Amino acid sequence: MATDRRPVVISGPSGVGKGTLYNLLFERHPDAFCLSVSHTTRGPRPGEEDGKHYHFVPMQDFEHLIAKDGFVEHAQFGGNRYGTSKMTIEEQTKKGRIVLLDIEMEGVKQIKNSSIAARYVFIAPPSIEQLEKRLRGRGTETEASVQKRLAQANKELEYSQTLGVHDLIIVNDDLETAYKQLDEFIHKPLEQ
Ligand SMILES: Nc1ncnc2c1ncn2[C@@H]1O[C@H](COP(=O)(O)OP(=O)(O)OP(=O)(O)O)[C@@H](O)[C@H]1O
């Protein structure tokens, strides 16, 4: 039976383990998936490659793409624009890959209003305390950033309770159990 090839939108609070989970998918199913590469107007940081980490574009080009309705979602942070282009998703899907999109809550809302047929998975923490522990354990955040992410996490968790938004909610408690749920959902045969 044919499997579902629609792009998978993965969302959930910062530090919940989204990256950890989809990196396992890449590792265990080489060449089956790709992460959607976003467009941005910010400049590349040292080590970042155009087309790999981001598609780096001038503001004018970005705005032109918005006008042409070329994005499934876009947002502005700190004076820079970020977005996921329809073309990026279409090109990767044509290559036979299942596109994974790591998108925050506002972006999820926009994609749901777009013409893209996608599947929606929300990754939830076992508790806010565990989430805080992971954010701190990762060692990448300042105290202010931890607090900001936890406040945003509460909003994301509230939104995840909205009926019909997500096709699957996975509680990332034991990593292997969570991975198995994600893997099975993605490889599920198409419903008749
Ligand atoms: N099931 C788990 N149990 C314990 N620790 C975990 C689990 N899953 C992930 N972690 C750890 O939690 C931390 C955050 O994970 P990760 O960076 O994947 O989160 P993220 O959701 O991708 O965050 P962001 O949105 O900020 O990129 C990492 O240090 C990771 O090793």
Side-chain angles (χ1 to χ4, degrees):
M1 205 185 291
T3 51
D4 197 337
R5 317 280 312 159
R6 284 176 298 165
V8 181
V9 176
I10 300 180
S11 62
S14 173
V16 75
K18 301 179 296 290
T20 307
L21 283 164
Y22 59 65
N23 281 324
L24 280 178
L25 278 174
F26 295 143
E27 241 176 78
R28 297 180 186 179
H29 303 280
D31 306 326
F33 297 102
C34 69
L35 195 62
S36 167
V37 177
S38 300
H39 281 61
T40 184
T41 59
R42 80 154 164 76
R45 296 190 181 126
E48 283 184 340
E49 285 174 45
D50 187 39
K52 186 176 172 194
H53 297 92
Y54 281 101
H55 297 292
F56 296 99
V57 291
M59 185 63 91
Q60 208 181 0
D61 293 10
F62 198 105
E63 285 174 349
H64 185 61
L65 254 176
I66 297 178
K68 282 201 316 187
D69 195 25
F71 288 106
V72 288
E73 59 85 34
H74 61 91
Q76 195 154 356
F77 302 105
N80 292 308
R81 287 186 178 278
Y82 298 82
T84 306
S85 88
K86 289 181 181 166
M87 187 115 81
T88 303
I89 297 177
E90 282 160 13
E91 278 173 0
Q92 295 299 334
T93 304
K94 265 192 213 138
K95 284 185 195 158
R97 303 229 176 184
I98 293 179
V99 179
L100 305 180
L101 298 113
D102 178 348
I103 306 269
E104 52 72 54
M105 186 173 73
E106 295 306 325
V108 171
K109 292 179 186 169
Q110 290 181 39
I111 297 189
K112 289 198 79 87
N113 282 326
S114 79
S115 56
I116 292 277
R119 303 177 270 172
Y120 297 84
V121 180
F122 185 84
I123 313 293
S127 64
I128 282 284
E129 290 73 27
Q130 272 298 324
L131 182 68
E132 183 169 355
K133 213 167 139 190
R134 284 181 199 170
L135 273 171
R136 293 190 191 283
R138 193 165 67 173
T140 50
E141 312 306 319
T142 60
E143 180 57 30
S145 160
V146 168
Q147 294 307 333
K148 204 172 130 195
R149 281 160 203 261
L150 288 176
Q152 181 61 23
N154 281 311
K155 290 186 200 159
E156 301 239 1
L157 289 168
E158 204 181 299
Y159 177 61
S160 76
Q161 305 291 315
T162 315
L163 232 63
V165 171
H166 299 100
D167 298 301
L168 177 70
I169 296 180
I170 297 174
V171 178
N172 182 20
D173 190 353
D174 173 64
L175 182 63
E176 282 302 327
T177 307
Y179 173 78
K180 196 162 171 270
Q181 287 172 359
L182 180 63
D183 189 61
E184 275 173 9
F185 171 78
I186 291 182
H187 291 100
K188 203 167 66 165
L190 262 177
E191 278 164 19
Q192 297 296 301

